[in-house]
Amino acid sequence: MIDLLRIHKVYSQGKKTLHALRDVNLHVESGKIFGVIGASGAGKSTLIRTVNLLEPPTSGEVVIDGQQMTRLNKRELRLMRRKMGMIFQHFNLLSSRTVFQNIALPLELEKLSPEKIHARVQELLLLVGLSHRAHAYPAKLSGGEKQRVAIARALATAPTILLCDEATSALDPQTTRSVLKLLKEINIQLGITILLITHEMDVVKAICDNVAIINEGHVIEEGPLSWFFGNAKTELARDFIESTFHLNIPEDYRQRLSSQPFARSHPLVKLGFTGMTVNEPLISQVSRLFEIDINILSADIEYAGGVKFGYLLAELLGHPDQYEAARRFFIENHVALEILGYLTELPHQ
Ligand SMILES: Nc1ncnc2c1ncn2[C@@H]1O[C@H](COP(=O)(O)OP(=O)(O)OP(=O)(O)O)[C@@H](O)[C@H]1O
Ligand SMILES: [Mg+2]
């Protein structure tokens, strides 16, 4: 369990001071994956580095499994840090050491016997799926393989907490998915608590149980993932959520789109479903009540934690008088409706 209580971090450089963390309170339950998301410079790395005191807070308390970190002496702090593995965006592997030797490093520092080190490294290689690469050097590995080595190394001393600072930012989308899947497996199989920071909502959506948004050193919103998608209030949170939905107007539609209605045109709309939306078959109701045909072009809708959220792009085809009534009906049922423009029907082919 990680508790950050009233954390402030002020960097001083000469006469200049920079308030990187402002009154941050965070509670990460054991066994959960907790994501902290924020833009560049928001204070994410500073935040994660205060957890293991790589960056001691200017004020506030860091409590790990009931232990107040700032009150420990050097030896106690070293023991506590053993409970915490850390991985980074750029892997930080030693280029002169093989995969095996990189993973063995923390165990050598612990002065374990060569036999014990060998057995433990084999175990870790198996866990991260790299047994066949044990004797390769980092230069010969793909980005995904390098991050797997870093994960194995971080887990070498059997920590209970894994800290991940932008661990997938340097990876392509497919490799990102496989590394996230590995982190989820580690979380479930070993019961390790993961604190993960990222600037990508897709990462949070893929594996996190809880999420917090950090902006200019403040945590501005926090909650379980399902709650967050449906209920987050701040504009920044909504922007992050929208970034995970990939809805584009098809190019041929875009070319035919006019901003104003004209004779025999019909609207192209974006319907937004949020946690507030009534869970009813609204599309077919609108179609029946207002005699409007609804042609869905694309949809990106998810269901989690009892709520539907996402977007749908559709043409409404009916009598112009009914469009306004349909619009009001959607809004009454908490569907955000945005008219993207007006289209003519294509001539029949
Ligand atoms: N050692 C330092 N000395 C002075 N200022 C620092 C130091 N480390 C970070 N900062 C400043 O603190 C603020 C927060 O930095 P931090 O690295 O935590 O942001 P971040 O959210 O991790 O950004 P990014 O997404 O770019 O990694 C920034 O304005 C940064 O310039
Ligand atoms: Mg950072």
Side-chain angles (χ1 to χ4, degrees), residues 40-41 43-46 89 165-166 197:
S40 183
K44 304 183 297 294
S45 294
T46 307
Q89 178 175 359
D165 187 349
E166 299 275 8
I197 66 170

Side-chain angles (χ1 to χ4, degrees), residues 52 64-65 67 69 72-85 110 157-161:
N52 54 9
I64 307 288
D65 295 338
Q67 296 257 21
M69 294 286 282
L72 301 179
N73 63 33
K74 262 193 180 157
R75 203 187 70 85
E76 291 166 332
L77 184 61
R78 210 177 57 238
L79 287 174
M80 277 306 283
R81 279 192 176 141
R82 252 189 235 166
K83 288 186 164 191
M84 289 182 264
E110 299 267 299
T157 56
T160 56
I161 291 170

Side-chain angles (χ1 to χ4, degrees), residues 250-270:
E251 193 45 41
D252 52 333
Y253 274 81
R254 195 182 288 280
Q255 284 174 9
R256 287 163 45 215
L257 204 61
S258 153
S259 60
Q260 296 297 324
F262 53 94
R264 294 159 55 95
S265 67
H266 63 271
L268 175 69
V269 298
K270 183 175 164 188

Side-chain angles (χ1 to χ4, degrees), residues 59-317:
S59 66
E61 282 295 342
V62 180
V63 186
I64 307 288
D65 295 338
Q67 296 257 21
Q68 292 196 333
M69 294 286 282
T70 48
R71 308 219 175 147
L72 301 179
N73 63 33
K74 262 193 180 157
R75 203 187 70 85
E76 291 166 332
L77 184 61
R78 210 177 57 238
L79 287 174
M80 277 306 283
R81 279 192 176 141
R82 252 189 235 166
K83 288 186 164 191
M84 289 182 264
M86 191 161 184
I87 57 172
F88 307 88
Q89 178 175 359
H90 295 298
F91 327 119
N92 296 6
L93 302 179
L94 294 175
S95 58
S96 60
R97 286 184 154 233
T98 63
V99 166
F100 185 105
Q101 291 164 339
N102 265 284
I103 300 172
L105 190 62
L107 303 168
E108 289 168 13
L109 296 175
E110 299 267 299
K111 304 209 171 21
L112 258 62
S113 70
E115 295 74 32
K116 280 197 175 149
I117 291 178
H118 191 266
R120 178 73 183 139
V121 174
Q122 295 297 350
E123 209 175 271
L124 290 159
L125 283 168
L126 198 64
L127 178 73
V128 301
L130 280 183
S131 302
H132 60 299
R133 303 293 271 151
H135 303 296
Y137 285 90
K140 292 273 155 55
L141 303 177
S142 69
E145 286 173 331
K146 284 182 198 166
Q147 197 56 292
R148 283 167 190 271
V149 178
I151 291 170
R153 183 185 55 187
L155 296 177
T157 56
T160 56
I161 291 170
L162 184 62
L163 306 172
C164 310
D165 187 349
E166 299 275 8
T168 55
S169 298
L171 306 175
D172 63 63
Q174 198 186 343
T175 313
T176 292
R177 278 194 292 277
S178 78
V179 168
L180 292 175
K181 188 164 163 267
L182 175 63
L183 290 175
K184 185 85 190 174
E185 283 164 12
I186 287 166
N187 162 254
I188 289 171
Q189 280 175 26
L190 310 178
I192 290 184
T193 310
I194 298 181
L195 177 60
L196 165 162
I197 66 170
T198 178
H199 62 275
E200 290 171 293
M201 196 65 198
D202 281 326
V203 168
V204 171
K205 196 166 113 184
I207 61 166
C208 291
D209 299 303
N210 291 74
V211 54
I213 290 202
I214 183 169
N215 187 40
E216 295 178 358
H218 281 292
V219 171
I220 57 168
E221 211 144 11
E222 187 199 335
L225 189 67
S226 55
W227 172 90
F228 189 80
F229 269 90
N231 301 284
K233 296 281 181 302
T234 58
E235 199 173 323
L236 187 64
R238 304 303 320 168
D239 286 350
F240 273 124
I241 291 169
E242 284 211 15
S243 73
T244 72
F245 293 101
H246 311 285
L247 263 200
N248 292 314
I249 303 174
E251 193 45 41
D252 52 333
Y253 274 81
R254 195 182 288 280
Q255 284 174 9
R256 287 163 45 215
L257 204 61
S258 153
S259 60
Q260 296 297 324
F262 53 94
R264 294 159 55 95
S265 67
H266 63 271
L268 175 69
V269 298
K270 183 175 164 188
L271 301 174
F273 296 83
T274 70
M276 302 282 289
T277 307
V278 181
N279 193 14
E280 298 268 337
L282 296 171
I283 301 288
S284 52
Q285 285 177 6
V286 163
S287 192
R288 238 188 354 261
L289 287 170
F290 307 106
E291 294 184 347
I292 288 178
D293 286 325
I294 298 178
N295 182 27
I296 297 172
L297 293 183
S298 63
D300 195 350
I301 293 185
E302 307 215 15
Y303 185 81
V307 294
K308 246 186 323 210
F309 44 85
Y311 295 91
L312 195 147
L313 216 58
E315 292 177 90
L316 305 186
L317 297 147

